[in-house]
Amino acid sequence: MLQVFCHVLLLLLTCFYAESCVQQHIEAQVPKMLEPGYVVSQVNLNGCGDGPLELISSDPAFTVQTDGTILVVWVIVVPRDGRSFWITVQDHTGHNWFVDVSLSTTRKVSKNAVLKRAKRRWSPPPFSIKENDNGPFPKDMEMIASDTSVNYSVYYKINGPGVTETPVGLFSVVPKSGLLRVHGTVDREQYPNIVFRAHALNSYNNQETDDSLPITVIIEDENDNAPQFSGPMDFTVQERCAMGTVVGKVEATDRDEPNTLHTKIKYSLKNGTNLFSIDGSSGVITAATNMLDRETAEKYILETEIRDMNGASNGLFNTGRAVVTLSDINDNPPTFTQSQYKGKVMENKANLLVLRIPVEDKDLKNTPNWKAVYEITKGNENGNFEIKTDPITNEGLLYVTKPLDYEKQQTANLDLMARNEAPLVGTTSTWQKVPVEIAVENEDEGPEFYAPVLVLKVKENVPNGTLIGTYTATDPETKSSKDIKYYKLTDRGSWINVMENTGELKTAMTIDRESPLVYNNTYNITVKAVDTSQKTGTGTVLILIEDVNDNVPFITKPDQVLCSKSGTGGSVLIEAKDLDQKPYSDPFTFELEGENAEQWKLTGATGTSVMLQPAKELPNDLYQVPILIKDLQGNGEEQKVSVRICDCTNEGVCMPQHFSTALGVWGVLAMLLGLLLLLLLCLLCIFVCSTKGEKLAMADDYDGNGGMLLKSNLEAPGEEVKDAMLLMSSTGADIIDSSKGGGFLEQHTIMSSNGATFGQKQTYGSGMYQNNMQGLMTTNTLSSGQYNTGMYGNSYKKHSTMSTMDMWRESGIQLDSKLAYFRGETDGRFADDILRPYGYEGVGSPAGSVGCCSILGEPESLDFLDSLGPKFKTLADVCTSKSQRGGK
């Protein structure tokens, strides 16, 4: 009995020491959210010896490194009640140890809290099955057991992926024994591992006797997938690249388990190994030579094999085609198809195509490596030729651009070189050259001037007919000027005459350097030479005109505005210009001239300008300031500058003048014109009422009332019109004698500028006749025979020789005479009654008022003369002479 006990104790000690390699339980406080790479804790492996250890996590969300570090694989949310899993530690002998890991969310632990040891849970280890297993199925895998089976009668149940979730029905459990079974084939590439949950339940009440735990089934890989090409297989490399130049890399993948022989791929080439090589482990293709030539082969197709199991014969493989294209470099210069080229051209011809020169180039067409550029390296010193490239055929096109002269050169020998737009690389070849011979053919030519352009210097203003030079031509065949005639082709100003037989050039008009026909002191003409065969040649004469001092400085802006300011601070800039050149122009000298020079002063003089400013404060007005301007030679004249001093706006412009009551010139003229029209109308009335120079008498057929004049056309009892006592002197002069009654005649007429009467007052003697009309106001006072300021007798003046004022005064004298005569007549017949009021006549007269001055109330138009009515008849009766009325 003792011996059995010792054996049991030894077994227990052995198990204890075996399990003491690692700690049995790890508790870790972690955040609620765990990120990939988060370090949860570490398994202490110090007591497990030096042999290799294998550490496996039952939860695929965690992984364990070889040093025991526990890391998070993907994002995990730790539930409130925590999360648990275990870690299997296996040594090289196959012995296993298990470490329970419990995770709880991070929180502070109360100081008074009592830490309790958690009861060890049932912890079935993970197990594995092979993928693509052929069965037979179902196949037993492992047993699971819960520690609670000691105290309870339990049965087992599983659920989750592989059971109740995809792939459904793959695993099952024997409820009573806890035996796990697999029911079909599993593909590792689809399910690398499957984790489902196991539950231990009480057989009596179906309550779980322990916490459910995850069961991890690891699917062991089988090499059932061949590697596949995953990247591009088209590569490009430059021709003649150096050996070892990387062409490209072949990419491949394998679906089997990584980091195993099942996915270790080896690359190899089946052809083209003399030109290319491939790295077996990386798939990098490199050039195996430096003689890759695009002109020999532009593309290479390489058969490439990829094989897993590191290229072992039992490995799975695939083959593909890698296409390598060689890019072009300029390793071939253009070559001429002939060793020499010949052509011909007629003399005196230009802009003609002489030759087409073909070349060959093996480089890629229509690239800078193929396109040719031609150059004339010899024989074109005079610039007679030009060569271009035909962009389509790549040929050289040789042109003659300047005429050739057969008499000077019968053959032109050229050297042409052809090169590419891109420089040569990867070759020892150089650019090629070829000789070209161009024969010049002769033709009969016209005369040629010995100098195509003749330059002559001439002073301006030379006399007409001055010989300024001779321009002759020669026959290129005979080298003689005999029988050649000369004519002028162009001469814009007709300044030069060309002598027909000699070619002499003489001035025909004054040559003016300042003329707009002269540009840059140069004037040119074209001369034509004609030989006996009517062949012609042309030449150009450039006349360089030398300046003389024939212009004085002038002011460029003679009208200036000076804004009025307080004091004398304002000034204007006076600028001058001289059409001559130096030394006949600036610098100028400025001097003030004239009587008002003391009012102004000149300051700040420069070579061509000076500042003009008032020497004292001047009122706003327009001033003429004379200034003497001289050039450097003292040649000049006095010029006037108009300076307007005024109030200015912000822009420096004179402000408009305010309205003034003073009438301008045009206002006065307008008023005079209106007054003249009024006077003409009055004169017309006077002429109608006047006689031809004899005394007029009133008609004797007066009515019973004894009035001299009858006032008619009144609609009511009329105004009293009393006659003024008018006396006539014994001498016959037009003077009213005041001793016979002291009478007076006063007339006031108020008129507007358009001639319409708006007020008139007439006073005769002691009576007053007043009439209101529209018009201009004039005042005439007749007293004691005086009219205005002049005294007039009975003299008669012819109206055609009178001025307007004389006519007006003469009309007044005539009226005075008539009135005096009428009064004299009345004295003889009605001496006892000087003033006669007129009675009411009843119905108004159709003639209206017969007063001469009543015409003024009508419009100024003279159209009434065309149709004179009853008014004129009555007036005519009044104005009838005595002889007509039967008087003496």
Side-chain angles (χ1 to χ4, degrees):
M1 189 67 179
L2 181 61
Q3 186 177 3
V4 174
F5 177 77
C6 291
H7 282 289
V8 173
L9 181 60
L10 180 61
L11 180 61
L12 291 175
L13 290 174
T14 302
C15 294
F16 174 77
Y17 286 114
E19 290 182 353
S20 64
C21 171
V22 293
Q23 68 267 42
Q24 296 179 358
H25 192 77
I26 295 176
E27 292 183 355
Q29 291 182 342
V30 296
K32 184 175 181 181
M33 179 75 70
L34 298 180
E35 300 291 339
Y38 179 83
V39 178
V40 175
S41 184
Q42 186 176 21
V43 180
N44 186 1
L45 303 175
N46 293 334
C48 297
D50 297 331
L53 298 175
E54 184 178 1
L55 294 91
I56 301 174
S57 171
S58 64
D59 192 338
F62 301 90
T63 183
V64 185
Q65 297 181 343
T66 56
D67 62 349
T69 302
I70 306 173
L71 299 176
V72 178
V73 176
W74 57 71
V75 178
I76 301 172
V77 178
V78 180
R80 182 178 298 178
D81 57 350
R83 183 163 180 159
S84 300
F85 60 94
W86 71 86
I87 296 173
T88 302
V89 182
Q90 186 178 35
D91 61 9
H92 63 284
T93 63
H95 192 81
N96 295 331
W97 294 274
F98 300 98
V99 180
D100 289 331
V101 180
S102 298
L103 304 180
S104 60
T105 56
T106 303
R107 61 179 180 271
K108 294 182 179 181
V109 180
S110 173
K111 295 181 180 180
N112 299 325
V114 178
L115 298 177
K116 296 182 180 180
R117 179 182 176 91
K119 179 181 178 182
R120 181 182 177 191
R121 301 170 56 201
W122 60 306
S123 53
F127 54 90
S128 61
I129 61 174
K130 290 185 178 182
E131 70 168 331
N132 303 323
D133 192 355
N134 293 327
F137 298 106
K139 181 180 289 188
D140 297 338
M141 293 189 303
E142 293 288 343
M143 296 283 295
I144 58 173
S146 173
D147 294 343
T148 60
S149 61
V150 178
N151 300 323
Y152 301 99
S153 174
V154 298
Y155 67 95
Y156 299 96
K157 185 176 67 173
I158 60 176
N159 61 4
V163 183
T164 59
E165 300 175 13
T166 305
V168 178
L170 183 60
F171 302 105
S172 66
V173 64
V174 178
K176 294 297 184 181
S177 62
L179 177 63
L180 295 176
R181 291 177 175 175
V182 61
H183 294 269
T185 301
V186 182
D187 184 6
R188 192 209 66 84
E189 286 69 42
Q190 186 176 7
Y191 303 104
N193 57 65
I194 300 175
V195 181
F196 55 87
R197 303 193 73 84
H199 303 270
L201 295 92
N202 193 329
S203 301
Y204 295 102
N205 55 17
N206 296 325
Q207 298 293 324
E208 291 193 43
T209 59
D210 204 342
D211 292 337
S212 62
L213 286 181
I215 304 298
T216 302
V217 180
I218 299 173
I219 313 302
E220 296 180 1
D221 184 42
E222 183 181 23
N223 191 19
D224 57 345
N225 292 279
Q228 302 290 329
F229 292 98
S230 59
M233 299 291 286
D234 293 328
F235 309 105
T236 301
V237 68
Q238 202 174 69
E239 66 171 329
R240 299 190 181 278
C241 62
M243 184 183 299
T245 301
V246 175
V247 177
K249 183 179 180 181
V250 178
E251 301 283 352
T253 58
D254 197 316
R255 296 182 60 199
D256 291 323
E257 187 172 0
N259 303 321
T260 64
L261 286 176
H262 298 168
T263 55
K264 189 171 182 61
I265 301 172
K266 187 173 183 179
Y267 302 85
S268 61
L269 296 178
K270 298 303 180 182
N271 68 326
T273 54
N274 60 328
L275 300 176
F276 302 96
S277 63
I278 188 169
D279 185 87
S281 59
S282 63
V284 175
I285 299 176
T286 57
T289 179
N290 60 356
M291 299 303 293
L292 296 175
D293 188 7
R294 189 202 67 84
E295 287 71 37
T296 302
E298 186 174 0
K299 289 186 178 181
Y300 294 90
I301 299 176
L302 304 179
E303 293 291 337
T304 307
E305 179 186 271
I306 50 177
R307 186 183 292 267
D308 61 15
M309 300 299 292
N310 198 23
S313 59
N314 62 340
L316 302 179
F317 67 92
N318 255 322
T319 59
R321 296 196 307 171
V323 179
V324 179
T325 302
L326 299 183
S327 61
D328 186 44
I329 63 172
N330 192 20
D331 57 342
N332 295 281
T335 58
F336 294 99
T337 59
Q338 298 179 20
S339 59
Q340 185 182 15
Y341 294 90
K342 292 184 178 182
K344 60 182 179 179
V345 65
M346 185 69 70
E347 69 170 332
N348 303 321
K349 300 296 183 182
N351 301 319
L352 295 177
L353 178 63
V354 180
L355 281 177
R356 298 182 73 96
I357 303 173
V359 293
E360 293 180 351
D361 198 317
K362 297 180 180 180
D363 292 318
L364 187 61
K365 193 174 181 179
N366 295 325
T367 65
N369 300 331
W370 175 82
K371 293 179 180 179
V373 178
Y374 298 90
E375 181 181 351
I376 303 175
T377 60
K378 183 180 177 182
N380 194 32
E381 288 76 12
N382 294 329
N384 297 98
F385 297 94
E386 180 185 15
I387 189 166
K388 300 180 181 180
T389 303
D390 189 323
I392 299 176
T393 64
N394 212 28
E395 293 176 315
L397 307 178
L398 182 62
Y399 292 88
V400 57
T401 56
K402 289 175 60 177
L404 294 168
D405 189 355
Y406 175 82
E407 287 70 30
K408 296 180 180 179
Q409 185 181 14
Q410 288 77 38
T411 303
N413 295 309
L414 308 175
D415 283 349
L416 299 183
M417 183 181 69
R419 57 183 178 86
N420 294 123
E421 292 181 359
L424 287 172
V425 293
T427 182
T428 57
S429 301
T430 58
W431 306 124
Q432 293 188 6
K433 296 182 180 180
V434 66
V436 178
E437 181 180 300
I438 304 297
V440 182
E441 297 181 346
N442 188 28
E443 73 172 351
D444 187 17
E445 301 170 294
E448 294 181 351
F449 286 94
Y450 68 92
V453 178
L454 176 64
V455 179
L456 299 175
K457 289 186 177 181
V458 180
K459 284 184 176 293
E460 66 174 330
N461 302 326
V462 297
N464 294 347
T466 301
L467 177 64
I468 64 174
T470 302
Y471 197 29
T472 59
T474 60
D475 191 321
E477 308 294 337
T478 63
K479 306 298 181 184
S480 173
S481 300
K482 185 179 179 181
D483 298 328
I484 295 180
K485 304 294 184 180
Y486 303 93
Y487 304 95
K488 182 173 58 175
L489 284 180
T490 60
D491 181 6
R492 292 176 295 169
S494 299
W495 287 357
I496 306 298
N497 284 333
V498 179
M499 301 298 103
E500 180 178 346
N501 296 322
T502 62
E504 292 179 335
L505 306 176
K506 296 182 180 180
T507 58
M509 296 182 66
T510 301
I511 297 178
D512 185 10
R513 190 195 66 84
E514 290 75 33
S515 170
L517 300 176
V518 177
Y519 175 75
N520 198 20
N521 299 332
T522 303
Y523 181 80
N524 64 78
I525 65 172
T526 305
V527 180
K528 179 175 70 172
V530 182
D531 61 13
T532 56
S533 63
Q534 300 302 310
K535 297 286 184 179
T536 63
T538 60
T540 302
V541 179
L542 293 181
I543 302 175
L544 299 181
I545 304 175
E546 298 180 359
D547 190 27
V548 298
N549 195 6
D550 58 343
N551 292 278
V552 298
F554 62 92
I555 297 175
T556 59
K557 186 179 179 182
D559 297 322
Q560 299 282 351
V561 174
L562 178 62
C563 296
S564 60
K565 299 181 180 178
S566 59
T568 59
S571 62
V572 293
L573 179 64
I574 306 300
E575 292 183 301
K577 184 178 180 181
D578 196 324
L579 298 178
D580 293 325
Q581 290 182 320
K582 292 184 178 181
Y584 305 123
S585 59
D586 60 286
F588 305 136
T589 58
F590 300 86
E591 299 176 6
L592 287 172
E593 296 287 331
E595 298 179 356
N596 58 349
E598 70 278 357
Q599 296 180 346
W600 303 86
K601 61 181 179 179
L602 301 175
T603 61
T606 64
T608 58
S609 64
V610 69
M611 300 300 295
L612 175 65
Q613 66 182 56
K616 58 184 179 180
E617 187 171 356
L618 299 176
N620 291 358
D621 203 347
L622 179 64
Y623 298 87
Q624 300 293 329
V625 182
I627 301 177
L628 176 61
I629 307 176
K630 298 179 180 180
D631 60 18
L632 187 60
Q633 308 299 325
N635 187 18
E637 63 182 18
E638 180 183 292
Q639 302 180 51
K640 287 188 178 182
V641 179
S642 298
V643 181
R644 179 176 296 278
I645 302 179
C646 62
D647 296 328
C648 297
T649 62
N650 294 335
E651 293 77 14
V653 179
C654 287
M655 298 176 60
Q657 295 182 354
H658 296 290
F659 176 78
S660 175
T661 56
L663 295 177
V665 176
W666 291 107
V668 173
L669 291 177
M671 293 184 62
L672 291 177
L673 181 61
L675 181 60
L676 180 60
L677 293 175
L678 179 63
L679 290 176
L680 292 175
L681 185 60
C682 292
L683 288 176
L684 180 62
C685 295
I686 293 171
F687 294 154
V688 172
C689 299
S690 64
T691 64
K692 297 182 178 179
E694 59 180 342
K695 275 191 173 184
L696 298 178
M698 293 288 289
D700 293 337
D701 51 348
Y702 299 113
D703 58 8
N705 293 329
M708 294 193 319
L709 295 178
L710 295 179
K711 188 172 183 180
S712 63
N713 197 21
L714 296 177
E715 297 179 357
E719 301 173 20
E720 282 189 322
V721 180
K722 295 184 178 181
D723 215 347
M725 296 183 67
L726 302 176
L727 299 179
M728 195 166 181
S729 65
S730 60
T731 61
D734 296 337
I735 299 176
I736 299 176
D737 189 357
S738 60
S739 63
K740 295 184 178 182
F744 65 93
L745 172 63
E746 184 175 349
Q747 178 177 345
H748 298 275
T749 305
I750 302 175
M751 303 183 72
S752 64
S753 60
N754 61 3
T757 302
F758 65 82
Q760 178 174 331
K761 179 180 179 182
Q762 297 176 347
T763 305
Y764 301 91
S766 60
M768 178 179 290
Y769 173 75
Q770 193 167 5
N771 186 17
N772 290 327
M773 294 177 289
Q774 293 184 348
L776 170 68
M777 175 186 231
T778 62
T779 303
N780 300 327
T781 304
L782 179 63
S783 177
S784 302
Q786 181 178 357
Y787 184 85
N788 289 344
T789 59
M791 298 293 295
Y792 296 88
N794 288 327
S795 60
Y796 175 79
K797 294 183 179 180
K798 189 177 181 180
H799 292 286
S800 61
T801 61
M802 297 180 185
S803 66
T804 303
M805 185 57 69
D806 291 339
M807 187 179 297
W808 176 269
R809 291 172 179 171
E810 184 66 23
S811 300
I813 293 172
Q814 295 295 328
L815 289 175
D816 291 344
S817 300
K818 291 179 183 180
L819 292 175
Y821 174 76
F822 292 158
R823 181 56 192 156
E825 289 285 327
T826 305
D827 289 342
R829 290 178 297 174
F830 308 104
D832 57 343
D833 190 1
I834 301 302
L835 297 178
R836 301 292 183 182
Y838 292 92
Y840 178 69
E841 297 181 1
V843 179
S845 171
S849 174
V850 298
C852 294
C853 297
S854 65
I855 301 176
L856 296 177
E858 296 181 359
E860 295 179 1
S861 174
L862 302 180
D863 294 341
F864 69 94
L865 295 176
D866 297 334
S867 57
L868 298 174
K871 179 184 292 188
F872 177 77
K873 182 177 183 305
T874 306
L875 188 62
D877 294 337
V878 174
C879 299
T880 302
S881 63
K882 265 189 175 184
S883 61
Q884 292 173 325
R885 295 194 308 264
K888 294 180 179 180

